[in-house]
Amino acid sequence: MAPWTPFPHAGDYAWDATRVQQQWSQLHLGDAEPLPQDPAVLHAWALFHNGEFQKAAEAGLAAGGAGITAANKATAVYATYLEPREQTRLGLFMQIAERAQAQAAANAQHANAWYWNAYALGRYCQGISVAKALAQGLCQQVKESLEKAIALSPRHVEARIALGTFHAEVIDKVGAMVGGMTYGAKKEVCLQLFEEALALQPGSAIGMVDYANALVMLEGDERIDEATALYERAAACQPMDAMEELHVAMARAELHEES
């Protein structure tokens, strides 16, 4: 595996397996991942929370089993926020999708297998353009996988955020009528999903950022004040780990672009 771009705030976090286990419910409020019993998997998660994404991915893959989910999340966060090369990023997303699909095939009740398949395919779709992805039928796979993840894990915050984003992006690209008739994308469902996500995890910076983006996509300048307020709330969040720090940095970048 070629070296990955390092997390820009290396050393800011000092999670170890014991602390991760103790604060698991708070750290994993967003993905509802069950607490792993394998110490090797907990170690992979500690690396993830510290921002050592490549080491976390390698440790998760080496551990196997529940470690695959740790590897997928580490790879996804890295590819989304830190990988500068577009083709490399798209390749990483397809690796995640392939691993997640294998997990789902082995255990159809594995909520995060469906979620990471959807997340990776969704990011891949954004990379090749949502319009192209719609034409290839990939977006329908994203929608169905996210709906399965939520059905299997009713408190899954990140799946709700991703599905809300799906509805907003489809409507933004093809319009409300075509989006609704052809792809089942609806504005009211989008807004409800974000409201549910933030009710489950009020401090989700990425939930606030993506909700703000969705409001602008769906209703433009009419909701710009609400979107700005969401960016401001997200930018003021105190991150628990490296992933949350990247989310907060995104919110601050959005505010900077607006000003």
Side-chain angles (χ1 to χ4, degrees), residues 91-204:
L92 289 171
F93 288 134
M94 291 311 295
Q95 288 176 24
I96 296 165
E98 288 167 6
R99 291 195 296 259
Q101 286 164 18
Q103 281 183 304
N107 177 9
Q109 303 303 305
H110 193 319
N112 273 324
W114 293 107
Y115 172 66
W116 287 113
N117 177 56
Y119 182 96
L121 287 179
R123 289 294 186 183
Y124 181 82
C125 290
Q126 290 173 336
I128 65 170
S129 91
V130 174
K132 285 183 183 177
L134 287 167
Q136 293 176 25
L138 292 176
C139 290
Q140 195 62 29
Q141 292 183 48
V142 171
K143 181 173 182 284
E144 290 172 0
S145 289
L146 290 171
E147 289 170 346
K148 285 180 181 177
I150 293 169
L152 291 166
S153 181
R155 298 183 65 82
H156 204 300
V157 175
E158 292 175 17
R160 281 179 169 79
I161 293 168
L163 187 54
T165 298
F166 167 87
H167 283 270
E169 288 192 338
V170 170
I171 292 169
D172 182 53
K173 296 299 183 293
V174 302
M177 183 176 291
V178 174
M181 292 177 63
T182 308
Y183 304 106
K186 299 181 185 301
K187 181 173 80 170
E188 60 272 22
V189 174
C190 169
L191 300 179
Q192 180 182 345
L193 285 162
F194 279 112
E195 290 293 334
E196 289 173 354
L198 291 175
L200 289 166
Q201 189 179 11
S204 171

Side-chain angles (χ1 to χ4, degrees), residues 197-257:
L198 291 175
L200 289 166
Q201 189 179 11
S204 171
I206 192 62
M208 297 174 208
V209 169
D210 284 0
Y211 192 10
N213 292 339
L215 288 174
V216 173
M217 278 190 277
L218 293 171
E219 300 188 8
D221 290 344
E222 291 179 20
R223 305 294 290 272
I224 195 68
D225 289 345
E226 290 172 72
T228 300
L230 285 164
Y231 292 140
E232 289 171 347
R233 282 174 54 198
C237 287
Q238 294 299 312
M240 284 189 73
D241 69 355
M243 180 188 75
E244 290 186 1
E245 184 152 336
L246 291 168
H247 292 165
V248 171
M250 176 188 284
R252 291 173 180 164
E254 294 280 4
L255 281 173
H256 181 72
E257 287 181 12

